Amino acid sequence: WEAEAESLLERGAVHCARTVYQCLLQHFNTKKKIWMAAAQLEKKHGSAEALDALLKKATTMCPKAWPLWLMGAKEKWLAGDLTGARVILGEAFKINPDNEEIWLAAVKLENDNAETQRARTLLEKARVQAGTERVWMKSVMLERDAGDHDAAMRLLREALAKYPKFDKLWMMLVQVNKAAGRPDEARRAYEEGTALNPTSINLWIVAVRFEREEGQVTKARSMLEKARLKNSKSPELWLEAVRLENSTENKKLASTRLAQALQECPHSGILWSEAILMEPRQQRKAKSVDAIKHCENNPFVICTVARLFHSDRKLEKARTWFNRAVTLNPDFGDAWAYWYKLELQHGTEETRAEVLKRCGDANPRHGELWQRLCKTPGAKYADAKEKMLAVVRMVQEQL
């Protein structure tokens, strides 16, 4: 029956699909999956009132299903009803007092509405009630973004005593010490962190970038070698090694590192994308053919090829390849941004609106540029559309 409802929706028979869900819910009214599907139908094809009424029934029948509570709160918030969102989350707390997702949703709601003290109070309670590593991390982030480095440091020390294996806390400790002008303490932080978390690729990369920015290129290089010994066949570490050499204008060593990287990770999309971009302009097409042979359906490579078409003004081909990239991985925010950049330069209001809408529906969370933007201290964006526009603004001509 669920498959039948989905099939009806695909054919545009919304009323029939709604009827199927109503029948299903009469017999399976404690099934979260069916309530979620029915709610998605109302969100896309129904009214705000119908969605609100359905979610109230859903949370009554499935009170432990936190995604239903969060969906209801988010819809209230998007409609400008901050008080309504708070009421829903308050009811959710009563039934799910130790649910991390509900606590963090409530914190995000207050923080995004510039209610820093409310968010702080919620996090204080959450550390007692839920006390997960993510709750502690968000607590540190709140104080860091508010500019209170002493409070952030105090919370970090408490959090690391509880969760020494949570690599993101060590990364933040490096960053907070660096921002406070304490390079030696930042160095001690990554040394201690990598000793406890030797398989954390991201922590090694934070450490390497710290040394590179401190002008300690030789130390950064030796750290990368140490990291690769502990984490073989890591495309991310190889990419960092290639970029380290490029940043020092050591093009020959960068090319050597890239050849070694592709030998060890022959099907890595991020490495092949870098290989294309490192070629002289006239040789990029040939390199892109090699890349596609090795990773035919990799969104990183597909996006890079689309960018090549864009730079050559082959706009329809570029659109086709950008569409292919975001179809393969809708979560790849950079591809959406590069596509929108094309539409800004050469598209129409209609093509721009379509990419913006599709990006909003996909709500991407990953991508090198995307995550760099989102992880900037103090960065706040209402939705995926706002994030994409911000990424487009930060994208410089790279081809």
Side-chain angles (χ1 to χ4, degrees):
W1 282 104
E2 289 175 56
E4 178 63 25
E6 291 170 10
S7 175
L8 287 166
L9 275 178
E10 287 172 7
R11 297 200 298 270
V14 176
H15 181 70
C16 294
R18 184 182 283 117
T19 303
V20 170
Y21 282 129
Q22 287 170 352
C23 291
L24 281 170
L25 288 169
Q26 285 177 1
H27 298 282
F28 305 101
N29 58 12
T30 58
K31 295 288 186 182
K32 180 186 77 172
K33 183 181 175 183
I34 302 174
W35 282 111
M36 285 296 294
Q40 290 295 340
L41 181 148
E42 296 302 341
K43 184 176 179 179
K44 289 182 181 177
H45 305 287
S47 64
E49 293 77 14
L51 176 58
D52 185 47
L54 186 138
L55 285 170
K56 282 179 180 174
K57 288 182 187 175
T59 50
T60 301
M61 302 309 300
C62 305
K64 292 287 185 181
W66 59 263
L68 293 167
W69 290 105
L70 297 195
M71 188 176 184
K74 186 175 182 180
E75 291 304 315
K76 288 287 186 185
W77 176 46
L78 291 174
D81 185 0
L82 184 57
T83 303
R86 284 177 178 146
V87 167
I88 290 173
L89 290 171
E91 291 172 1
F93 281 134
K94 292 174 187 175
I95 300 166
N96 305 275
D98 57 351
N99 185 282
E100 173 192 83
E101 297 292 343
I102 294 172
W103 279 107
L104 293 181
V107 170
K108 185 178 187 324
L109 178 73
E110 301 301 348
N111 205 24
D112 287 353
N113 285 280
E115 295 282 358
T116 306
Q117 188 52 50
R118 276 178 176 264
R120 185 178 285 118
T121 302
L122 280 168
L123 282 165
E124 287 170 3
K125 292 178 181 176
R127 291 197 297 275
V128 175
Q129 294 269 24
T132 64
E133 51 199 22
R134 280 182 68 213
V135 165
W136 280 94
M137 181 182 73
K138 295 292 183 182
S139 300
V140 175
M141 288 172 66
L142 181 80
E143 301 304 342
R144 180 198 66 185
D145 293 349
D148 192 341
H149 292 293
D150 290 338
M153 186 64 70
R154 176 178 55 78
L155 286 167
L156 264 172
R157 291 298 182 192
E158 284 185 58
L160 283 166
K162 293 174 180 289
Y163 300 107
K165 296 284 189 178
F166 189 40
D167 58 348
K168 289 182 180 179
L169 292 172
W170 292 105
M171 290 182 235
M172 293 176 76
L173 186 58
V174 174
Q175 291 158 353
V176 168
N177 276 314
K178 182 187 172 188
R182 297 189 290 258
D184 290 340
E185 290 186 35
R187 196 168 279 119
R188 278 196 292 274
Y190 79 63
E191 286 171 353
E192 194 175 343
T194 52
L196 286 164
N197 302 273
T199 59
S200 171
I201 305 299
N202 289 330
L203 180 54
W204 282 109
I205 289 174
V206 164
V208 168
R209 289 179 183 173
F210 169 78
E211 293 298 356
R212 188 178 76 185
E213 288 164 13
E214 289 290 304
Q216 302 295 322
V217 175
T218 303
K219 185 160 189 175
R221 192 179 285 128
S222 74
M223 285 179 64
L224 275 166
E225 289 173 6
K226 184 179 178 182
R228 290 199 305 274
L229 282 173
K230 293 178 181 293
N231 302 276
S232 61
K233 297 185 179 180
S234 167
E236 293 82 9
L237 288 173
W238 277 112
L239 180 61
E240 198 64 26
V242 171
R243 289 180 174 174
L244 175 67
E245 304 309 337
N246 273 325
S247 72
T248 60
E249 298 299 319
N250 195 340
K251 305 297 181 186
K252 186 175 180 182
L253 187 52
S255 296
T256 301
R257 289 281 179 268
L258 183 59
Q260 291 173 319
L262 288 171
Q263 189 171 6
E264 191 170 294
C265 311
H267 303 295
S268 167
I270 57 173
L271 289 174
W272 277 107
S273 294
E274 195 76 3
I276 294 169
L277 298 174
M278 279 175 60
E279 290 292 320
R281 194 179 187 92
Q282 64 271 22
Q283 294 173 27
R284 286 176 177 169
K285 184 177 179 181
K287 182 62 76 172
S288 68
V289 172
D290 288 343
I292 292 166
K293 283 179 184 174
H294 284 85
C295 25
E296 183 180 0
N297 288 315
N298 185 282
F300 293 98
V301 170
I302 302 299
C303 180
T304 302
V305 173
R307 290 169 58 197
L308 292 183
F309 284 130
H310 179 189
S311 67
D312 292 338
R313 302 230 169 198
K314 296 177 180 177
L315 303 181
E316 287 310 311
K317 281 191 174 182
R319 285 187 176 102
T320 299
W321 283 69
F322 278 131
N323 184 55
R324 185 176 166 193
V326 299
T327 301
L328 284 166
N329 184 7
D331 193 45
F332 185 20
D334 292 7
W336 289 108
Y338 280 117
W339 187 1
Y340 192 75
K341 179 184 171 186
L342 178 148
E343 300 302 344
L344 276 179
Q345 293 174 349
H346 307 288
T348 64
E349 287 296 329
E350 289 75 18
T351 59
R352 286 190 280 274
E354 184 188 354
V355 174
L356 202 58
K357 182 183 182 303
R358 287 180 60 189
C359 177
D361 291 342
N363 193 24
R365 296 179 183 275
H366 293 93
E368 184 177 359
L369 298 173
W370 194 273
Q371 288 178 290
R372 189 190 307 166
L373 177 91
C374 295
K375 291 180 180 178
T376 303
K380 292 180 184 177
Y381 302 96
D383 55 24
K385 296 177 186 178
E386 249 190 48
K387 289 176 191 172
M388 185 179 75
L389 293 173
V391 173
V392 171
R393 285 194 294 272
M394 72 181 273
V395 169
Q396 297 176 343
E397 194 59 53
Q398 297 172 321
L399 290 174

